[in-house]
Every structure is written in C-alpha cells, then in structure tokens.
Amino acid sequence: MSDNELGLFLRTRREAVTPAQVGLPTGPRRRTPGLRRAELAMLAGVSVEYVTRLEQGRDRRPSPAVLSALADALQLSPAERVHLAVLSKWAHGGANCLGNAQPLREVRPTVRAILDHLEPAPAVVINHVTEVLAYTDGYRRLMAPAGLFAGPDTPADLARFVFCHPEAPTFYMDWEFVADQMVARLKDGPFRADAHIAALADELTVCVGAAFDQRLDTVPSLAAASGITRLAHPEAGPLRLAYEVFDLSVDDGQQLIVHLPADDATAAALDTLAGRRSGSLRAVPS
C-alpha cells in the first residue's frame, strides 16, 4: 500500500494536465499526454529536483506557498486544493483525533425526511466505511436484484459489494472505474489511521487480492462528486444514472448519494421497475 498519498496525488494530477491546457507546446516526442516534471517545475517556480522529491515521498513538508504554486500550475479545483492541503498535513504526521470512535450508524431524522422527499429516485446514505445506513425504496429496487441486500443478518456495504460480490463486475458496466472510485473514497482522509477503515482494507486485500491491493498504490484519494454510472440491471436492463454525492455534517461522517436517470430510456425503465406511470422520474438534461 502506498504511504505517499501526497506524491501520488501530485503525480496523477500532473499526468492529467495537457501542455495545451497551460499554454505549452505539445511537441512531437511526448511519451505521456500530461505534463513533464520539468514543465510543472517551471510553471510552479520550483526546481525539477524538488518536484521529484515530492512525488517520490522524499520531501513531505512543502510550504503553503509551494502548495499554492503547484495548485495553480496544475489548475486544481477548489475541492482538489483543499484535498492537497489535507494530504500535506497527513504526509508529515498530522494528528489523528479519531481514537477509537465507532462509525456513526444513526441517520438524523431530517436526513431521513430528505430521503422520503427524494422517492422514487434511488438515493442512499452511507458512512465513511461505506456501510448502507438508509435508502429510498427506489434504491432498494435498483440494488436488491443485484444482491446488495443479502439479508437482515448481513448489513449492506458498498465496498464489500463492489469487490466481493460475484455479480458486481457484470452489474457495473464500468466496474474498473467504479472500483477505482471506491478505493479513492476509502482512502480519503486519514485512511489506515482510522482503525475501522484499516480493518476493512485488510479484509478486502485478503478477499480480493491484487484487484484491490494494486489500487491502493495507484488510485489517488479523491473520489468524484458526480458522474455517470452504467448498470446492467437484472430486471430493468441497461441503465445510465447520473449521480451526485453530498457530504452531510462533519459530525455525521456520512454522505448522501442521489441517482437520477441520465436518459429517457432509463427514466422509463425505473418507472416500470417501480410500477409507476411514465414520467415519475425525468431524465437529467445532458
């Protein structure tokens, strides 16, 4: 497992920025579409050697001014800038005040009321260890046929479902991307400094092996807050769902994930699945 999340994050973001995005010539002999270390160093006003040390984890104490310069050069979003600052703090021993606190499994009444208002859209509340805490009937109709809800004695858990359920790679049409996003979600924050996340990661390493373990070393710790999920639903057929992830109160340590149909065919299929008249759910404009 990588213990250099700051370096991994910087490297993956550098490789994701094209020269054209920052006003540099592409050139005919590039082995990667992203920026070279020398180009990032020039844009940020630091040495190539320093960028190399940061990416390799040999220097884990960049100053706020250097972090700001790197963020500007990499054209990071506000959320990515905050994440970069957090990673820098953890990289040089930022304190972990989690102690032995248990994952919060109680969902506030207001949040449950929000779920009621979201029906019939598939929506779910999870905690930071991806346990499913509350959901709409629409979410159960979406996920139960695939096997997420195994029974009253087996709590539903998204990470275990994605990596351990035999039907998950078929159910998620873009399983590789979904798996990457799940690892990014687990690695966000203190990761193994949280005993509960560490135990889950150890379990998945044993259960899944390389398909999980290799991602720990290569996937940066910032999951997408929105996107498209494609499902091969056992009853409704192919579905395209637009999702949004909302962080709840920091005291909750929970997230609300809402899915909406990304096209008219998916909207109609979800209505049929729910036994509702057509038009109960409208497709999100592309």
Side-chain angles (χ1 to χ4, degrees), residues 143-151 154-172 175 203-204 207-208 234:
M143 301 300 293
L148 175 62
F149 301 102
T154 306
D157 181 290
L158 286 183
R160 290 183 176 89
F161 175 72
V162 167
F163 283 105
C164 300
H165 197 287
E167 300 301 322
T170 302
F171 180 63
Y172 291 106
W175 183 86
E203 175 189 331
L204 293 176
C207 170
V208 185

Side-chain angles (χ1 to χ4, degrees), residues 121-122 240-242 259-268 270 281-285:
R240 291 180 66 249
L241 294 160
H259 298 81
L260 296 173
D263 53 44
D264 291 337
T266 298
L270 291 179
L281 284 172
R282 296 182 181 178
V284 176

Side-chain angles (χ1 to χ4, degrees), residues 2-286:
S2 172
D3 63 348
N4 180 28
E5 291 301 320
L6 175 63
L8 175 61
F9 185 75
L10 288 172
R11 177 177 60 80
T12 55
R13 289 305 181 265
R14 172 175 61 81
E15 293 174 348
V17 177
T18 65
Q21 287 177 282
V22 294
L24 295 176
T26 301
R29 295 184 178 180
R30 301 191 72 91
R31 290 180 295 178
T32 174
L35 295 178
R36 300 185 177 106
R37 283 174 176 164
E39 292 168 332
L40 174 58
M42 178 192 68
L43 291 168
V46 298
S47 69
V48 180
E49 291 75 14
Y50 189 61
V51 171
T52 302
R53 292 202 306 271
L54 286 175
E55 290 190 359
Q56 293 179 348
R58 292 186 288 116
D59 190 319
R60 304 192 181 197
R61 293 178 176 270
S63 68
V66 168
L67 285 178
S68 179
L70 289 169
D72 288 343
L74 294 171
Q75 300 184 349
L76 299 187
S77 69
E80 289 171 330
R81 289 169 185 264
V82 171
H83 190 65
L84 180 63
V86 171
L87 288 179
S88 176
K89 176 183 176 183
W90 284 108
H92 56 79
N96 174 25
C97 60
L98 292 173
N100 294 318
Q102 295 294 313
L104 185 63
R105 297 183 174 94
E106 293 296 323
V107 178
R108 287 182 286 121
T110 306
V111 177
R112 290 188 177 275
I114 291 172
L115 287 175
D116 291 340
H117 284 287
L118 288 171
E119 190 68 47
V124 61
V125 175
I126 64 172
N127 60 17
H128 76 290
V129 289
T130 76
E131 295 171 329
V132 173
L133 306 178
Y135 44 85
T136 61
D137 289 341
Y139 187 78
R140 172 174 279 280
R141 287 190 294 269
L142 182 70
M143 301 300 293
L148 175 62
F149 301 102
D153 298 328
T154 306
D157 181 290
L158 286 183
R160 290 183 176 89
F161 175 72
V162 167
F163 283 105
C164 300
H165 197 287
E167 300 301 322
T170 302
F171 180 63
Y172 291 106
M173 299 171 70
D174 302 302
W175 183 86
E176 295 286 344
F177 176 76
V178 172
D180 286 351
Q181 291 296 297
M182 187 58 65
V183 168
R185 190 179 305 280
L186 291 175
K187 289 173 68 177
D188 194 10
F191 190 38
R192 284 191 180 274
D194 181 322
H196 306 285
I197 292 286
L200 176 58
D202 289 343
E203 175 189 331
L204 293 176
T205 297
V206 172
C207 170
V208 185
F212 178 78
D213 204 33
Q214 291 175 1
R215 284 180 162 83
L216 297 181
D217 292 326
T218 57
V219 175
S221 54
L222 186 61
S226 62
I228 298 292
T229 298
R230 298 193 308 148
L231 303 178
H233 197 274
E235 298 176 5
L239 303 174
R240 291 180 66 249
L241 294 160
Y243 68 85
E244 290 283 343
V245 182
F246 302 94
D247 289 326
L248 301 180
S249 165
V250 68
D251 292 333
D252 294 342
Q254 298 171 359
Q255 292 180 323
L256 169 64
I257 306 173
V258 182
H259 298 81
L260 296 173
D263 53 44
D264 291 337
T266 298
L270 291 179
D271 283 338
T272 300
L273 197 63
R276 291 173 175 259
R277 61 178 178 80
S278 179
S280 295
L281 284 172
R282 296 182 181 178
V284 176
S286 59

